[in-house]
Amino acid sequence: MLSRRAGRRRKLATLTAVLATSSVFSPGAAIWPFPPKRFTGTSLIGAGSLGLNGDGRIVAFGDFNGDQLLDVLVLGSDQQTLSVYYWQHESFTFSQAHSFKHPTKVYNVVPGDFTHSGKLDLLVMSQSDESGEQDLRLYPSLVGDGFDTENPLNLPPSTLSQPIPLDIDGDMKIDLLGITPDSSHSSTSPYQVWQNVWNASSSNPKLFNLEDAPFKGRQCAIANPHSNAVIDLDGDCLADVFLLCDEGHGRKSFQIWINNKDDGFVLSQQGSLPPDTQAISFADIDRDGTIDLIFPTCYRVSASGVGTNCHINIAYNQQLPLCASSTDSGIKKGIRVCRRPEDLCISDPNFKFNLTDSPDNDAFVRFPLESLFPQTPALLVRDSTFSPFLPTPIRLGDANLDGFPDLLLITVSGKTQTPSLVFSVPCDKDVAGCPKGTSDRRGWSVATKGTKVLEDVKDARALTFLDLDEDGTLDIMVQRSGADGQGNVLFVQNNFYYDAFFLKAIVLNGACNNGWCYNANGSERYHPFGVSYSGATYKYTVLDTAGHRSAAQVGQLPQTSYQSLQTPYSFFGLGRTNNYIENLFVGTTIHAEQHYINMEGVIPNSKVVILPSADEGGEWKRELFLRPGEWIPWVTVTVMATMILLAIIVLVLHLNEKREDEQERRRASHHINFDAL
């Protein structure tokens, strides 16, 4: 009897499972409770202007309201009106929040928390009444929202070479490095520091004091325009300074100043750049854990900013590599020869860039632009529609999340200026940019599939990568001249599917050590999520699906001059991995014994927010925001369906067991024990 009951239970359970599964996964019966995708199709998709319908141009990005969504700052066609547009997640568009008019022609705007309040202020560089100078003016953020346009802070002016923001003394406050009209006449120490001395409690607060820069070595004449950057180049996770120098007669050189914390900056390397060098960009091109240089050179540049006979140049950073094995000590005969995964932030004083163009130098790669674009070998290297003209550098970003940065540039054919996406690919035969006899470098391939939206643009004048709506993909912003009536801005949604992971990170400036900021009377509190700063460094190691370990390095806001259009966060693809990020080193400019931290086991597809402490031995706070992937709704539905299925099975078996037990009890009650008679 028990055998028959067990058999009936198994048959009933199997039938119930089949029926329940069919009802959940049958296309005719399934009900999808989530809204449809905004963009469909595996390609680059034009998203339009997203609410930026005026005649202005985007001059900077920033999270102005601290909601962890990227906002934009737009400069009107009069080159004086500044407008802040907030990103609205629900409507997937930008909406204007603030607008004001600067009294003179604006050259550049740097959003930053100069007053250390946890909100972004606006540093405006603009036309001066004095020849060879530019005015600097700061619009502080207000307690509630917006900027104090009635009481701006007038700062000491600079020369036309735009100063760069950096933390010169390790207090996490934004200083400036540049040349003043007075110091420009000095032959020994032209560099000046606008030292941040802001004290909000003072009755007459002052923002900057001018001081001689703590730079020990021969100081060059900074070029205008320049590609100066604040980024770690010797591998110690402490930001150094790269300067582009003007040697006269069209010749340019570079200087690298190493950050020695309280001992100032020391000239570590200098050298000549190839003739006709244009704007320089920085990225870890070959994913070896070091920052490399990439820049175009063009034999001739027309008045419209178009360069001909152009080459792409890559100078690889030669320094200590990652150890091949995690058990390797990294030291041989008392000399360090490689970095262990847990020692990524060890300085290499012998690092170098060798820009010698010779066959036996595999650390410098130079290839013609026409090997990528045979039909359009001209390149837009500066935007002459803006006065004074702006450099148009090669933009770098990991569009396909494979861990290697890709390129964005503008090619020119006649009067047509078209943006192009170029992917980094493994070196192989006939791949552009591959040095002969070297297999561990990267080559380049122009993206052609699914890029029609870029090919249709004929009037591009600037472009950059950004992450629209914080969805974990690098999208594209194209600044247009608007001559064909299509508007001044085009956003392009990256809707390709890549089987890979990403990570976003942002280091805040330590304005609020407990993670919350309060206004003067304590009635309002807010997160300082928007106040990133130039100089943070990220290094990480990750294992691919084959178990191969690699390291990579990314900088945060290394360049801000000449409308560089860099986002306040750092975005890096991780490639294909089935593991956590082993080690994520986060470096700051704090002048403490330990200026970086090591985060182990960071979850991919997330955003990491780091709040460093400027106090010696202070606790750093870390927050991780996991972005739900497109598979999360499916997982939710599957889990709920499975729970319902199991509940039905349990209920049916319970009722069946109860019914059979009742039948068994009744049969037992009618059973006559003849032995008892």
Side-chain angles (χ1 to χ4, degrees), residues 24-157:
V24 172
F25 295 102
S26 172
I31 300 177
W32 182 245
F34 301 96
K37 291 184 178 180
R38 188 178 299 273
F39 299 100
T40 58
T42 305
S43 64
L44 298 178
I45 300 174
S49 62
L50 298 180
L52 304 181
N53 298 318
D55 57 356
R57 64 180 294 135
I58 297 176
V59 294
F61 297 116
D63 181 7
F64 292 98
N65 55 354
D67 61 355
Q68 300 198 68
L69 299 173
L70 190 66
D71 310 313
V72 297
L73 181 66
V74 176
L75 179 63
S77 59
D78 60 357
Q79 215 169 317
Q80 292 180 251
T81 303
L82 292 167
S83 303
V84 174
Y85 287 78
Y86 290 164
W87 176 253
Q88 306 297 331
H89 171 72
E90 293 77 12
S91 59
F92 202 82
T93 187
F94 290 100
S95 65
Q96 184 172 331
H98 312 286
S99 183
F100 64 93
K101 191 170 184 177
H102 191 72
T104 57
K105 183 186 293 186
V106 174
Y107 296 157
N108 187 42
V109 183
V110 179
D113 184 16
F114 291 87
T115 58
H116 223 56
S117 64
K119 291 186 175 182
L120 289 181
D121 312 308
L122 293 180
L123 173 64
V124 179
M125 305 177 187
S126 60
Q127 187 179 41
S128 172
D129 293 335
E130 301 294 332
S131 177
E133 298 182 12
Q134 64 180 345
D135 288 335
L136 305 180
R137 178 175 296 189
L138 186 87
Y139 293 96
S141 59
L142 292 174
V143 173
D145 197 10
F147 306 95
D148 190 354
T149 58
E150 300 297 326
N151 302 288
L153 301 177
N154 293 314
L155 312 176

Side-chain angles (χ1 to χ4, degrees), residues 363-436:
F364 183 75
V365 176
R366 173 182 171 89
F367 61 95
L369 183 68
E370 61 183 358
S371 64
L372 287 173
F373 304 96
Q375 307 302 322
T376 56
L379 187 68
L380 186 70
V381 295
R382 66 188 186 199
D383 180 5
S384 298
T385 64
F386 191 86
S387 177
F389 72 81
L390 296 172
T392 305
I394 296 175
R395 302 293 184 182
L396 297 155
D398 192 358
N400 56 3
L401 306 183
D402 64 350
F404 297 92
D406 308 307
L407 312 181
L408 270 181
L409 40 80
I410 300 175
T411 57
V412 182
S413 176
K415 294 185 178 181
T416 300
Q417 299 178 177
T418 304
S420 297
L421 174 63
V422 182
F423 285 129
S424 172
V425 296
C427 271
D428 201 352
K429 184 179 180 181
D430 299 328
V431 174
C434 287
K436 294 181 180 179

Side-chain angles (χ1 to χ4, degrees), residues 635-657:
V635 172
T636 304
V637 170
T638 303
V639 171
M640 294 179 63
T642 303
M643 293 176 63
I644 294 173
L645 170 63
L646 293 175
I648 292 174
I649 293 174
V650 171
L651 179 61
V652 170
L653 293 177
H654 173 71
L655 294 177
N656 186 52
E657 182 73 15

Side-chain angles (χ1 to χ4, degrees), residues 659-670:
R659 180 178 59 82
E660 291 187 356
D661 288 345
E662 181 64 22
Q663 291 176 351
E664 185 72 17
R665 187 187 64 79
R666 289 178 180 178
R667 283 194 294 268
S669 66
H670 291 85

